[in-house]
Amino acid sequence: DWLVEAAHEANVSVYAMLQPYSQDESQPGTSRAHATPAMFRAAAANCWQSGVDGLCTWFMPWPLGETERSVLVQLADPIQVQKADKHYFLRRATAETRQIDYPATLPITIDPTADLGRSFDIPFTVADDLRDRDDSPTVRLRLSIRDLVGADRLEVRLNGQSLEGESVRRRPLDAMAPYAGQRLDIELRKQRPQSGSNGLQIALLERPQDLVSSLCIEAVKILVKYDTYPSAGMASRQVDP
């Protein structure tokens, strides 16, 4: 945001460059993967919210096909992007990029011998207006944590508010190695991200004493899905006999 503001003060246009990949080989057990249309929409929405003048999309194969043209039409329209499904995810830093790239929070290693009870803050940005109303979308927080076991006790907060009581679904982080870690899908109903800057706080409160390995927060994602029809409560009306 500060770069956009400084450039505009000097009458200079800013074009945000979208990246082609959602993950690389730096995360164990994964390979390079291209971003989905929902991921591009999320990145574009954040860029438009920051006040850029346009987007640079260099990542599509040529000649452009039907899918590529559809994505470009959506990205070019901030209004259309705003009300579409999105898949936000946080980038990861590697040993090679830490010295030359902009900062990244992930991955985060939690040592149970030194970090028990310590809260790790993970900043992120969401362009959607996710306030609770009739047309609000469903919102899911997805955490990928390596070496997490069922007996571990985590405290997860969103903007300082506890997510205790939210519905959580657990899946293996790796289908071929189900004990390598877990993916937590947390349905955000009571506490939701705010439009703009947010903070996720994660703390390991308890871990079995015979487990000395560290946890690693590999990925943090926010999935936003808009329904075809808005949700609303059932109307109550008395019917005359």
Side-chain angles (χ1 to χ4, degrees), residues 29-108:
T30 62
S31 58
R32 188 177 297 273
H34 285 268
T36 65
M39 292 175 177
F40 283 127
R41 288 193 293 266
N46 273 349
C47 292
W48 287 125
Q49 187 183 63
S50 69
V52 299
D53 300 283
L55 303 173
C56 182
T57 55
W58 59 275
F59 47 79
M60 292 184 176
W62 188 266
L64 298 178
E66 182 178 348
T67 300
E68 290 78 14
R69 293 181 183 276
S70 176
V71 171
L72 290 176
V73 168
Q74 292 182 35
L75 300 188
D77 186 348
I79 298 178
Q80 185 176 357
V81 165
Q82 186 64 32
K83 286 298 184 180
D85 296 351
K86 300 182 188 66
H87 187 158
Y88 295 91
F89 67 94
L90 274 65
R91 68 179 298 275
R92 293 166 49 89
T94 65
E96 292 76 15
T97 62
R98 289 185 191 276
Q99 303 300 322
I100 60 174
D101 212 344
Y102 56 89
T105 306
L106 301 178
I108 294 177

Side-chain angles (χ1 to χ4, degrees), residues 172-195:
L173 189 59
D174 185 343
M176 299 298 293
Y179 300 107
Q182 297 181 13
R183 192 185 79 186
L184 309 182
D185 280 356
I186 306 174
E187 201 78 24
L188 300 180
R189 297 181 180 272
K190 301 176 183 177
Q191 305 295 336
R192 293 187 163 213
Q194 61 189 8
S195 180

Side-chain angles (χ1 to χ4, degrees), residues 137-201:
T138 58
V139 186
R140 189 185 314 151
L141 168 64
R142 176 171 294 172
L143 304 175
S144 297
I145 306 179
R146 188 162 300 279
D147 283 339
L148 180 69
V149 299
D152 291 327
R153 192 160 64 91
L154 295 175
E155 180 184 62
V156 183
R157 294 180 175 271
L158 177 59
N159 296 324
Q161 301 299 314
S162 175
L163 297 185
E164 185 177 3
E166 300 282 25
S167 175
V168 182
R169 185 171 185 179
R170 295 173 180 256
R171 291 186 175 90
L173 189 59
D174 185 343
M176 299 298 293
Y179 300 107
Q182 297 181 13
R183 192 185 79 186
L184 309 182
D185 280 356
I186 306 174
E187 201 78 24
L188 300 180
R189 297 181 180 272
K190 301 176 183 177
Q191 305 295 336
R192 293 187 163 213
Q194 61 189 8
S195 180
S197 299
N198 293 267
L200 184 68
Q201 298 82 37

Side-chain angles (χ1 to χ4, degrees), residues 206-219:
E206 187 177 339
R207 185 162 172 81
Q209 294 184 356
D210 55 344
L211 287 180
V212 297
S213 62
S214 298
L215 303 183
C216 184
I217 304 174
E218 299 280 7

Side-chain angles (χ1 to χ4, degrees), residues 3-12:
L3 180 60
V4 175
E5 182 179 352
H8 286 174
E9 289 178 354
N11 198 28
V12 174

